[in-house]
Amino acid sequence: MPRREVTVQGPLQATPRDIEEINRVFSGAFTERYHRDGMAGVKVPTLNPTVWRYAIADAADGALLWRDDLGHLAAFNMIHRSGVEGWMGPLAVRTDCQGSGVGKGIVREGIARLKEAGAKTIGLETMPRTIENIGFYSALGLRPGHLTVTMAWDVYPGEDRPAPGGTVPDWAEASRAAGELAERLSPGVDFSREFALTEEASLGGVTVIQAGAGADAFALWHTVALAEARTGDELRVLKLGATNERSFTALMLKLQEEALSRRLRRVSVRSQTAYDWAFGLLLKIGFRVHWTDLRMTLAGYEERLVRDGVVWSNWEI
């Protein structure tokens, strides 16, 4: 049967008061997506409200939602910008509003805002096996690129394994060094908001491999659980930079120490496979493939790959 016509109001500014509604739309939309892909047993959990608060704060005035004529949440789009890098996610449309044009509207709004803000890269990530999604975004001007492969390294398999003492970084110094390295490797990229929000909400930490007075590699990571009502058991990397294979490997080993010091079971990273040498090093170290996403960018606003080294920016929360 054809979808009913849907009238929505928006975009409206999302706030933490909207998290419960956002969570319901998120879980329902993605659960249906998996079912339509043949995975009937999958139910996508609601996300940790702390994670949503971070996403809303990170998106700032790009945290947008749309409501139907009864005032109920119909769709949302979290539009992020880290300097010249712009991306959208999570975004979702309520299941009964899909096919009505609402989805096209929220993506177009995100693209327009990122262009206006001066973003040089505009993109998002979607499920690589879902041809409907790829076709939908392609019709809006986005083009498929490389995979983002979620990879995990189990570093704490036993409850009785002793943990060494942890380190508490000087946030101001660590974030300064990391920010300078990110700018040097990928001019115009600015992760300062992510560093500040992580510190303010005590979501995780930053690890820096020093090289003289500066940094040779860095990682911004969270330990807060993604799913609601679950405990955190992993160190999850959001932003990463390294100058070469040596510093990248040193960073991974340091992240293992960080996980051990917090008695976490694993380190997880989202490897952008355009940097094939880094993907290969992760496999060599012992990381295992857990999940894949397809990176898509707007035509004319593609990612600028680092020539010497690597910068990974997680386009998820």
Side-chain angles (χ1 to χ4, degrees):
M1 294 181 62
R3 299 281 187 177
R4 68 180 180 88
E5 187 174 337
V6 178
T7 301
V8 296
Q9 298 176 343
L12 308 171
Q13 182 66 44
T15 74
R17 294 189 299 273
D18 302 306
I19 288 174
E20 186 175 350
E21 283 186 289
I22 290 172
N23 240 340
R24 285 199 299 268
V25 171
F26 170 85
S27 178
F30 280 90
T31 295
E32 185 191 53
R33 178 70 267 173
Y34 282 113
H35 291 180
R36 289 166 64 187
D37 282 349
M39 291 178 280
V42 174
K43 184 181 188 306
V44 175
T46 53
L47 296 184
N48 187 337
T50 300
V51 173
W52 279 120
R53 284 192 288 271
Y54 171 82
I56 290 170
D58 185 55
D61 60 2
L64 304 180
L65 51 81
W66 287 257
R67 295 189 176 277
D68 64 17
D69 50 9
L70 297 177
H72 303 310
L73 185 66
F76 65 87
N77 188 358
M78 299 293 153
I79 305 161
H80 306 262
R81 188 170 65 87
S82 301
V84 297
E85 178 187 78
W87 53 278
M88 293 172 277
L91 66 154
V93 177
R94 202 175 70 212
T95 55
D96 63 313
C97 297
Q98 294 175 13
S100 65
V102 173
K104 291 180 181 178
I106 71 172
V107 174
R108 285 172 176 151
E109 181 68 26
I111 290 171
R113 289 195 175 218
L114 290 171
K115 283 183 176 180
E116 184 178 357
K120 303 302 182 184
T121 295
I122 297 176
L124 50 76
E125 289 183 338
T126 189
M127 303 175 188
R129 67 188 169 280
T130 306
I131 57 175
E132 289 180 16
N133 278 9
I134 296 172
F136 171 80
Y137 290 123
S138 295
L140 293 171
L142 290 105
R143 297 292 178 260
H146 58 267
L147 290 177
T148 293
V149 181
T150 301
M151 304 182 72
W153 188 16
D154 295 323
V155 297
Y156 179 38
E159 291 294 337
D160 58 350
R161 185 168 179 173
T167 58
V168 179
D170 181 313
W171 263 95
E173 176 60 26
S175 60
R176 179 198 62 77
E180 289 178 355
L181 178 57
E183 169 67 26
R184 177 157 55 90
L185 292 172
S186 186
V189 168
D190 181 4
F191 299 140
S192 58
R193 179 188 288 119
E194 288 87 346
F195 280 105
L197 291 172
T198 297
E199 180 189 20
E200 290 169 10
S202 299
L203 300 176
V206 57
T207 297
V208 173
I209 303 298
Q210 292 292 137
D216 212 21
F218 76 90
L220 174 69
W221 43 268
H222 287 181
T223 58
V224 61
L226 274 176
E228 191 171 19
R230 294 185 185 176
T231 58
D233 65 351
E234 69 176 5
L235 186 151
R236 188 172 63 257
V237 175
L238 276 73
K239 311 293 181 184
L240 175 153
T243 56
N244 51 42
E245 294 187 11
R246 179 193 54 76
S247 63
F248 181 86
T249 302
L251 179 64
M252 292 301 111
L253 295 175
K254 186 63 176 178
L255 290 174
Q256 182 192 46
E257 292 180 12
E258 297 281 8
L260 284 167
S261 72
R262 290 157 179 80
R263 303 190 70 81
L264 301 172
R265 290 188 177 277
R266 66 184 61 89
V267 174
S268 70
V269 298
R270 290 172 56 79
S271 171
Q272 278 105 68
T273 54
Y275 298 95
D276 58 348
W277 63 267
F279 179 75
L281 276 177
L282 291 177
L283 293 172
K284 184 177 180 180
I285 290 169
F287 280 82
R288 294 176 292 108
V289 173
H290 271 212
W291 198 252
T292 56
D293 290 288
L294 177 66
R295 202 93 153 177
M296 299 188 72
T297 54
L298 187 67
Y301 292 81
E302 294 83 6
E303 285 187 87
R304 300 175 301 168
L305 298 181
V306 174
R307 289 185 178 181
D308 299 314
V310 61
V311 172
W312 284 346
S313 180
N314 186 354
W315 287 357
E316 294 285 349
I317 56 171

